[in-house]
Amino acid sequence: MTNPISILKSHVSTTREFGSLQITEFDRKPTAIEFLHLVSENKPAIFKNTDVEDWKAMESFTDRNRVKEMVDSNVTVSVTPNGFADAVIDGTFCLPHEVSMSMGEFFKALDLEDATAPHAVHYIQSQNNNMREGGDFTQLFAQVPPDIDFATEALGILPDAVNFWCGSRHSVTSFHKDHYENLYVVITGSKTFTLIPPSESWALEERTFPTSKYTPAVIQKPTTKKTEATATTTEWKTEPVFMDPNTCDITTDEAHPRMMTRWCSLDPTREPDAAIFRERIGYTKKRGLVLTVTLERGDMLYLPSLWAHKVEQGDKTMAVNYWYDMSFGKTYQMHRLLRMLAADAGYMEPDEDINETDGEEDDEEELDEMEMRRRAFTEMGLGDNVVMFLQ
């Protein structure tokens, strides 16, 4: 019997020879046909010099006072002691503490973050379609187009979600993947994406972790006057998180089962994780270990579905992204096969959400259940990266 490890390494070598770790750069907006080709090939791309500069947001978002005036109600802000919201820390998946505050308070909090070691890192990252009806930032939606025209034409659908992001260089999004075709636009500041294709993301030690939530002893509360003292967070703790199996509501009530979260636990941008990743994929020095791309003001990234990615940013960064539903076609099917092999090799837990079925009807019912779960988690602001189990 062929060893799954050798199959995985051979597949990585082959796909790299055919350019799996490359990104295409356009110096203009792509046509719908060009974009559809990228989607069909599952290839990332950067679009520069598009019509993004004509968006109202390119002017209005650079003026914090205008943003504060437009967003006249409180918004949900994620707060952590280390900038890692939604990440595996010491064997536990940690959710951020969430605070309701005005945009004025949020901007003040960003300015008060210590340059080297902030006591609390604030980040707007709700990713629950927060710019459209019912979201925190519906007042900003008129500043951006409702969809990306070439993507809508190519895919024949409107985006499932449009999200607003804002934070400082202290905020980091750990490696994960999305079941969406993602178009990400930087309005102010910069964003750096570290990308790993589906042909290699199985090596990121994806496992199920007990879920906890950061809780501060004293939350940083900015004042309205610069001369007044500001309370700062001096101590953080994590509390176990549970889930009501009937409503899927997240709670700290121990009467409910512990919430479990499926997530990537390796970070190949740092040691010793990089050494483990190199060995698993059979890395050679012909090409880089990972693909890194930095977006500046006005740049648009096409991040294909199922690509694992880590996201870092510069100070005073605002961005908007559009999530289009993916097709569960050949890329997804190959991705599933590689994950099965990786599970056999001991590199990740087997996928519990998809089991072998006896008939086509069962397959369709199972995919329908997956889709309902994915959309439910997106509406909860958790994205579809998280697979939750109750135990």
Side-chain angles (χ1 to χ4, degrees), residues 220-232:
Q220 186 172 357
K221 187 68 175 179
T223 58
T224 55
K225 296 181 180 179
K226 294 182 179 180
T227 56
E228 293 181 0
T230 302
T232 57

Side-chain angles (χ1 to χ4, degrees), residues 183-233:
L183 286 156
Y184 203 103
V185 182
V186 170
I187 308 298
T188 66
S190 64
K191 288 268 187 175
T192 296
F193 288 75
T194 304
L195 307 177
I196 296 175
S199 55
E200 302 175 22
S201 61
W202 49 264
L204 294 176
E205 196 76 29
E206 188 178 307
R207 300 192 181 277
T208 304
F209 298 92
T211 304
S212 297
K213 190 172 186 176
Y214 284 115
T215 303
V218 180
I219 187 64
Q220 186 172 357
K221 187 68 175 179
T223 58
T224 55
K225 296 181 180 179
K226 294 182 179 180
T227 56
E228 293 181 0
T230 302
T232 57
T233 298

Side-chain angles (χ1 to χ4, degrees), residues 38 45 73 78 118 134 147 151 154 163 176 180 208 210 215 269 295:
L38 292 169
S73 56
S78 296
D147 64 324
N163 297 303
H176 67 286
Y180 284 108
T208 304
T215 303
T269 65
L295 305 182

Side-chain angles (χ1 to χ4, degrees), residues 23-30 35 38 44-53 55 58 145 147-151 182-187 191 193 293-303 319-322 324:
I23 189 165
T24 303
E25 184 170 321
F26 285 70
D27 196 35
R28 55 175 173 78
K29 184 168 74 172
F35 180 70
L38 292 169
I46 300 177
F47 309 125
K48 295 178 177 286
N49 299 318
T50 64
D51 57 2
V52 170
E53 282 295 337
W55 293 8
M58 298 303 288
D147 64 324
I148 303 299
D149 55 3
F150 60 81
N182 189 356
L183 286 156
Y184 203 103
V185 182
V186 170
I187 308 298
K191 288 268 187 175
F193 288 75
V293 56
T294 296
L295 305 182
E296 304 290 347
R297 169 187 164 91
D299 291 345
M300 178 185 297
L301 171 69
Y302 165 54
L303 175 58
V320 175
N321 87 297
Y322 296 77
Y324 284 83

